Amino acid sequence: IHSFPTRRSSDLITSGGDWKNGVPSKQLFRFLKGFEGYGPHLYHDSGGVPTIGYGTTKSELADFNRLVANQPCSEEMCAKIGWNNLIKNYGKKIANAVKNLGCTQQRQFDALVDLAYNGGIDLVINSSGNRDLANTIKKNPNDEATIRKVWENYFIKDNHGTPQAGLVARRKAECNMYFGKKYEIRTIPTLGANGNVNGTFKGDG
């Protein structure tokens, strides 16, 4: 989990993607790159999870092993594997759940895909508890005040219950995306083998 202050914002209009068939937009992937960071070497994130590329972990074991075997991995390789993983293991798996929530827009789907990628698919497809985000969206997918209150306080803490600045910022940015505001496009940080930022990657990768 990372938080990178250097960023630029863009009024990108969502293009591409096919949310009904589980395909996120390219803008969502660029958004994700800025929050995840590019790790050409294996590192452990702030929660101790072995990670490489653009947030690839052992939960995507074949992709993870391929990247580990090719480190330092090129940005192109990390991006291609990350993009395919985003579609196959997240977009495709939550597409029907997102439809069942009453969502009808690519930007809504994109925001929920990023949440799933960052915190796990169960954050989107499981509905339990009065403050569960899925239940809140299902009641009224366009109720910004109520959804924002839940979303911006959803999956923002570490294992010790302490809010993490990077998660707080990402939840707010996802919620903004969901409600048609800017896709926050951050400068892409590069990460060393210790997981710390050691530079930035120019452009969009």
Side-chain angles (χ1 to χ4, degrees):
I1 300 165
H2 303 286
S3 177
F4 307 112
T6 304
R7 61 184 181 271
R8 61 184 176 83
S9 294
S10 172
D11 288 304
L12 287 171
I13 298 173
T14 308
S15 62
D18 179 7
W19 77 273
K20 291 181 180 179
N21 289 302
V23 182
S25 71
K26 293 295 179 69
Q27 285 91 339
L28 183 276
F29 189 50
R30 178 58 184 83
F31 169 96
L32 181 152
K33 282 184 172 184
F35 275 92
E36 290 288 343
Y38 159 54
H41 297 274
L42 177 66
Y43 67 93
H44 289 76
D45 71 8
S46 60
V49 177
T51 307
I52 193 168
Y54 285 110
T56 301
T57 68
K58 288 183 177 180
S59 62
E60 301 90 37
L61 190 58
D63 291 336
F64 177 85
N65 287 339
R66 183 181 170 195
L67 289 172
V68 169
N70 285 278
Q71 57 185 317
C73 308
S74 68
E75 196 281 336
E76 181 179 10
M77 183 180 188
C78 292
K80 285 182 176 179
I81 287 178
W83 171 245
N84 290 333
N85 173 39
L86 187 66
I87 297 171
K88 177 179 65 177
N89 291 317
Y90 296 90
K92 295 287 187 183
K93 290 184 178 180
I94 70 169
N96 286 333
V98 171
K99 294 173 191 174
N100 290 336
L101 294 179
C103 296
T104 59
Q105 302 292 325
Q106 183 73 42
R107 56 179 169 76
Q108 295 173 322
F109 172 77
D110 283 352
L112 289 164
V113 168
D114 191 72
L115 175 62
Y117 188 85
N118 185 220
I121 290 175
D122 282 351
L123 292 182
V124 176
I125 65 175
N126 282 351
S127 298
S128 60
N130 293 331
R131 292 186 58 78
D132 178 78
L133 183 60
N135 272 336
T136 304
I137 292 174
K138 193 168 187 177
K139 289 177 182 176
N140 182 349
N142 301 308
D143 183 355
E144 181 170 357
T146 302
I147 292 172
R148 186 173 290 277
K149 185 181 298 183
V150 176
W151 199 317
E152 292 189 0
N153 291 282
Y154 198 58
F155 188 65
I156 60 170
K157 298 177 181 179
D158 62 16
N159 292 335
H160 302 290
T162 304
Q164 300 296 298
L167 292 179
V168 171
R170 193 160 179 172
R171 296 295 84 80
K172 183 175 181 179
E174 289 165 351
C175 198
N176 286 342
M177 183 192 305
Y178 180 95
F179 285 108
K181 298 175 174 63
K182 295 177 180 179
Y183 279 59
E184 187 173 322
I185 305 302
R186 296 185 167 204
T187 300
I188 301 171
T190 57
L191 310 173
N194 59 2
N196 293 331
V197 177
N198 61 10
T200 56
F201 197 91
K202 294 182 179 179
D204 294 332

